[in-house]
Amino acid sequence: MDCAYFDAGVCRSCSLMGEPYATQLAGKQRHAEALLAPFGVGRWLPPVASGERDYRNKAKMVVGGTVDAPTIGILDADGYGVDLEACGICSPGHRAAFPVLARFISLARIAPYDVARRTGELKHLIVTESPDGELMVRFVLRSTEPVGRLRKHLPTLLAELPQARVVTANILPEHKAVLEGEQELVLTEHQTLPMRLNDVTMHLRPQSFFQTNTAIAEALYAEARDWIRELAPDRAWDLYSGVGGFALHLATPTDASGEDAPDRGVPGPIVTGIETSVEAVASAELSRSDAALARVRFAAGDATAFALGAAPADVPDLVVVNPPRRGIGPELARWLEASDVSHVLYSSCNAASLARDLAAMPSLRPVQARVFDMFPQTTHFEVMALLAR
């Protein structure tokens, strides 16, 4: 993939841009294999490739420039806005929406935030596109001052951007490099964005994490379900469950042939999902209720504390973990090592922290693993491993 922004030196976020995609994928596979080599992976499945471009379903774009000429993209070293409206890794739906959003910023007179002077209001936009082409648009603001104008001109935005299902104002008063603030004001009738993957529909709330690459997330969840069906566990925990991607896929009933059969099939395991984000748990619960899945439940809490506080009789056959980049950490790893859990499905966005965690669980060995290229044009990727005691 070629990128004019990269070639001009105005954006270097995609560090592998211009490198042949086959070379990128092979390098990620080698890196994963090298990190996990000490643990004797029983079988490496071929890596799952992504489309080279148009893959991002979520874009966090800094707003710079002026109220009459806003830029949507990043800031340069001096704090000035660099417009990236034609970014090739963003979805076509994003690229179509950015010019409309730029016009709306001017119409509603929302001054871009000036980082150096700490003036202005609009810090960045967070835009998420569903597999059906609907959008969630979040305006991250310094204060509630522009909210009245957002509401006043919202009909104009929805007329020009009818695919915008959810529009919100997120309030981030602090001057610091974080994604969002705690306060979220939903401005539209709809409050969730349906994300339809495989036979599961997840209802995404504004502050809920979702995998960035829809096609690869779909492949990841489908593969996890296939691996776990072969194990046929009675009970499972999904720790760091997010909006419930793994738990909802595992809990969907199947018929005797293994085909998805939500209305008539063999029930999946009883699944408990644990996640610190209250918003993500609310999303997962809505999805569970919508799908009428009685054998899965979600609760807000710390994954490690939940495991350490469980009674021995409540420990399941299988534990799924999908932690942030830091991994599950030594405390949860020690608990898993000492537990009676027979299998762990570990999905990692950082193979280095996965390797550290595996070193702390010597009796749980990776019987198979697979790389999923969630982030083409960068050095990052997802790797999923099935551990057996």
Side-chain angles (χ1 to χ4, degrees):
M1 174 182 169
D2 294 319
C3 173
Y5 298 124
F6 185 86
D7 292 343
V10 297
C11 177
R12 291 301 177 105
S13 299
C14 296
S15 58
L16 300 183
M17 186 63 69
E19 184 174 305
Y21 182 63
T23 304
Q24 293 183 34
L25 194 59
K28 293 178 183 186
Q29 180 68 31
R30 286 195 302 272
H31 185 53
E33 289 185 9
L35 285 170
L36 301 192
F39 310 104
V41 176
R43 178 176 64 146
W44 278 101
L45 296 169
V48 178
S50 169
E52 295 185 44
R53 56 176 299 126
D54 303 335
Y55 69 83
R56 286 194 69 97
N57 60 35
K58 181 178 180 178
K60 180 255 186 182
M61 305 294 269
V62 178
V63 180
T66 66
V67 70
D68 291 309
T71 61
I72 296 177
I74 59 174
L75 299 180
D76 66 14
D78 297 319
Y80 293 105
V82 176
D83 201 273
L84 300 179
E85 289 186 18
C87 174
I89 66 170
C90 290
S91 74
H94 283 107
R95 294 197 294 273
F98 291 150
V100 179
L101 292 169
R103 291 194 296 271
F104 179 75
I105 291 165
S106 297
L107 173 67
R109 311 307 294 171
I110 311 172
Y113 184 67
D114 188 310
V115 174
R117 295 179 176 85
R118 302 192 183 188
T119 59
E121 283 290 340
L122 181 54
K123 295 186 175 183
H124 46 264
L125 296 169
I126 304 173
V127 184
T128 304
E129 184 179 24
S130 78
D132 296 318
E134 293 183 309
L135 299 176
M136 179 186 291
V137 180
R138 302 171 64 203
F139 293 85
V140 180
L141 306 168
R142 185 175 67 159
S143 75
T144 58
E145 186 275 330
V147 172
R149 298 193 299 280
L150 280 175
R151 293 187 188 277
K152 175 183 176 181
H153 295 289
L154 183 61
T156 300
L157 176 62
L158 297 180
E160 289 195 52
L161 197 65
Q163 60 270 43
R165 174 185 173 93
V166 183
V167 179
T168 77
N170 178 273
I171 312 304
L172 177 60
E174 297 86 1
H175 179 81
K176 56 184 180 182
V178 296
L179 182 66
E180 60 193 15
E182 293 182 4
Q183 185 180 8
E184 193 91 27
L185 304 174
V186 180
L187 308 179
T188 47
E189 175 186 359
H190 296 293
Q191 299 191 18
T192 64
L193 183 67
M195 303 292 287
R196 180 179 46 80
L197 274 68
N198 302 308
D199 60 323
V200 172
T201 297
M202 286 167 276
H203 296 275
L204 190 64
R205 293 172 66 88
Q207 295 188 34
S208 301
F209 169 79
F210 191 80
Q211 298 284 8
T212 303
N213 188 322
T214 301
I216 296 299
E218 198 167 40
L220 181 75
Y221 294 141
E223 185 90 351
R225 181 158 57 184
D226 287 345
W227 289 5
I228 288 168
R229 278 177 179 163
E230 296 179 5
L231 304 176
D234 293 324
R235 291 180 299 155
W237 290 348
D238 180 8
L239 305 182
Y240 312 94
S241 57
V243 295
F246 285 103
L248 293 166
H249 277 79
L250 299 187
T252 301
T254 63
D255 65 20
S257 67
E259 296 299 321
D260 304 325
D263 298 324
R264 65 183 186 279
V266 177
I270 297 171
V271 185
T272 300
I274 301 296
E275 166 61 42
T276 57
S277 168
V278 174
E279 282 292 297
V281 170
S283 295
E285 273 292 296
L286 178 59
S287 304
R288 178 203 63 77
S289 176
D290 184 59
L293 295 173
R295 293 170 66 84
V296 60
R297 72 174 186 93
F298 296 93
D302 176 77
T304 300
F306 174 79
L308 269 61
D314 295 330
V315 175
D317 315 88
L318 168 76
V319 172
V320 178
V321 292
N322 183 26
R325 289 190 60 80
R326 65 178 181 271
I328 64 173
E331 196 172 12
L332 182 53
R334 285 195 298 268
W335 182 88
L336 285 167
E337 171 65 17
S339 74
D340 292 329
V341 173
S342 60
H343 290 88
V344 174
L345 184 75
Y346 195 133
S347 183
S348 170
C349 61
N350 182 2
S353 61
L354 169 59
R356 288 196 300 270
D357 290 335
L358 287 176
M361 301 184 290
S363 69
L364 286 162
R365 312 311 297 165
V367 295
Q368 59 188 13
R370 192 167 205 175
V371 166
F372 294 80
D373 193 11
M374 194 75 71
F375 311 100
Q377 315 307 332
T378 78
T379 58
H380 302 293
F381 58 90
E382 193 90 7
V383 59
M384 187 166 68
L386 178 62
L387 316 180
R389 193 172 296 281

